[in-house]
Amino acid sequence: SGEVERACSLYQDRIAGRSAPFRFSAGDGVVRVYVDCARRSSLIAAPAVRRFWHSATPVASAGGAGAVLIAGGMQLENPADFVDLTKGELHDTLELFDVAQNRFRLLPAVLSRSRVWHQATAAGQGRVIITEGSTLVESAGRRSFLHLDLVESFREGRLTQLTAMGSERSAHLALRVGDRLLVAGGLVNGKLLPTATAELYDLSSGNSLGPIANMSVPRTFAMAAPVGAGGDALVAGGLWVKDVQVTSDR
C-alpha cells in the first residue's frame, strides 16, 4: 500500500482504473498493475467470458442510461500462444453491459461465425453493424485464419444477417458517415498482408455500394474519424507489413 500511495502522489492522482483479475506465473516476467488513485473508478462485475480482440460498442437502452455491446474475440490459455494464434479459442458470444445496473449479461443471440479483428459500429436507433473479421478453420489437421465478408445487424438483443460486403477482410476500419458505412484497409483474400482498398455500405438498405478509390497506402489497424459535414473521413496511421504508418488519407 505504501508503494501505491507513493505512485499516486507522484502522478498527482491522475492514475485511474484498475487491472482486471489475472493469473501470474514466474514465466510472465514483470506485470504492471494499475490502481485507482482518482477515486472515481471502481472494479465492477466481471464479464461472463474472457476475451481480447473483441469489439465494444455503445448502444441505447430502454432505461436511458445506455449499454455497451461486447462481441466476439479470442481467448488464450497460455500467453506463449501469442506466437501461434491458431491455438486460441474464438468466441461467437455477445454480452451487454448495463450502465445503470453496472453488470454484464450474456445474450442468447450469437454471431453467425466466431471471429476476431471485426468491427462493430453504432448505426443509430440502438443498432450496431458488425462487419467481417477472421475466424479459424481446420483442414488436414491444421488450423488457419479465414477472412469473412459477413455483415450482421444487432438491435434489441437480436442479430440479423445483412447482405455481404464486396470482399472478405479483417483488422479493417469501419466508420459511419451519415447513412453510409466506410470500410477500408485490413487484411484481405485470406492473406496476412494489408490492403489499400475501400468500399461503402448503405446502412438504410443493408447493401454494399461497391468499392471506392483506394487509400494512398495499404494499412491495417488504422483509425478514422468523420471530418466536417460533407461526408469526408480522415484515415490515419495503421500497420503496413513491418512498418507503422505516419501517413493519412481523406
Side-chain angles (χ1 to χ4, degrees), residues 199-238:
E199 57 187 302
L200 288 177
Y201 196 87
D202 191 312
L203 294 175
S204 300
S205 65
N207 291 304
S208 173
L209 297 175
I212 58 175
N214 287 357
M215 296 183 291
S216 58
V217 294
R219 58 180 92 219
T220 186
F221 294 113
M223 302 299 290
V227 178
D232 287 357
L234 175 69
V235 179

Side-chain angles (χ1 to χ4, degrees), residues 14-31:
R14 287 180 295 174
I15 304 174
R18 294 173 174 166
S19 301
F22 62 90
R23 290 183 299 179
F24 175 80
S25 66
D28 292 334
V30 176
V31 175

Side-chain angles (χ1 to χ4, degrees), residues 21-163:
F22 62 90
R23 290 183 299 179
F24 175 80
S25 66
D28 292 334
V30 176
V31 175
R32 298 187 183 276
V33 180
Y34 296 94
V35 297
D36 180 7
C37 296
R39 299 183 181 90
R40 290 181 298 178
S41 61
S42 60
L43 287 174
I44 58 175
V49 178
R50 292 187 298 159
R51 62 182 95 205
F52 64 97
W53 279 330
H54 53 282
S55 59
T57 312
V59 294
S61 65
V68 179
L69 176 68
I70 311 293
M74 172 183 279
Q75 178 177 333
L76 289 175
E77 292 299 329
N78 187 347
D81 289 339
F82 264 106
V83 298
D84 183 5
L85 293 175
T86 62
K87 294 181 180 179
E89 176 189 354
L90 298 191
H91 295 303
D92 60 2
T93 54
L94 302 173
E95 292 184 66
L96 202 64
F97 174 69
D98 189 301
V99 175
Q101 298 184 20
N102 213 28
R103 68 181 180 90
F104 290 88
R105 176 167 57 93
L106 194 63
L107 300 178
V110 296
L111 298 169
S112 57
R113 299 287 295 270
S114 58
R115 69 190 72 180
V116 291
W117 305 327
H118 57 283
Q119 290 287 349
T121 310
Q125 299 180 332
R127 284 195 309 157
V128 175
I129 305 299
I130 302 170
T131 54
E132 308 185 291
S134 289
T135 192
L136 279 170
V137 294
E138 187 167 340
S139 177
R142 297 185 60 183
R143 302 180 87 198
S144 60
F145 283 101
L146 173 70
H147 303 326
L148 303 172
D149 63 356
L150 301 174
V151 181
E152 294 174 84
S153 174
F154 171 87
R155 187 175 184 182
E156 297 179 348
R158 298 184 188 135
L159 277 172
T160 304
Q161 193 156 333
L162 304 179
T163 305

